[in-house]
Amino acid sequence: MRFILSFRAKQDYRNLTKELQQSADKQFILLLKNLMHPSLRAKKYDEAQNIWQARISKNFRFYFRIKNDTYEIITILKHPK
């Protein structure tokens, strides 16, 4: 497996603090190793559009699609509470 960032996800990533970027990097590596890693808390977010959600931190999530052997990171957002 591999992952790519959409144009929007690249922009979102650039807007994160350095600390959150490091957390995102760590989570992306875990995603590549094991979609079901406990710290990701990955789950299907939108079945119809095949969108998944996973955790970067307590307050941030990333959304992605799985296409063949690629995780396409769509966006990174502050988690609404």
Side-chain angles (χ1 to χ4, degrees):
M1 293 296 283
R2 64 188 185 101
F3 78 93
I4 59 171
L5 295 166
S6 70
F7 179 77
R8 180 175 176 184
K10 286 178 187 177
Q11 290 178 317
D12 295 339
Y13 181 86
R14 282 188 216 112
N15 290 326
L16 296 174
T17 65
K18 288 291 181 193
E19 181 180 287
L20 281 170
Q21 286 179 356
Q22 290 174 344
S23 294
D25 294 343
K26 177 182 163 260
Q27 296 303 88
F28 295 155
I29 290 168
L30 288 175
L31 176 66
L32 291 173
K33 291 181 180 179
N34 179 6
L35 171 63
M36 291 295 137
H37 191 281
S39 75
L40 288 171
R41 298 187 186 181
K43 63 181 178 181
K44 201 71 163 269
Y45 179 76
D46 184 333
E47 184 79 34
Q49 294 185 24
N50 189 33
I51 297 176
W52 290 70
Q53 175 191 61
R55 184 178 194 165
I56 290 176
S57 70
K58 181 179 177 184
N59 297 317
F60 280 85
R61 303 292 186 270
F62 66 95
Y63 297 83
F64 63 97
R65 286 190 183 101
I66 302 171
K67 293 181 179 180
N68 301 318
D69 70 339
T70 304
Y71 295 113
E72 178 190 14
I73 312 300
I74 302 165
T75 190
I76 301 168
L77 298 172
K78 187 166 177 120
H79 190 264
K81 296 211 176 187

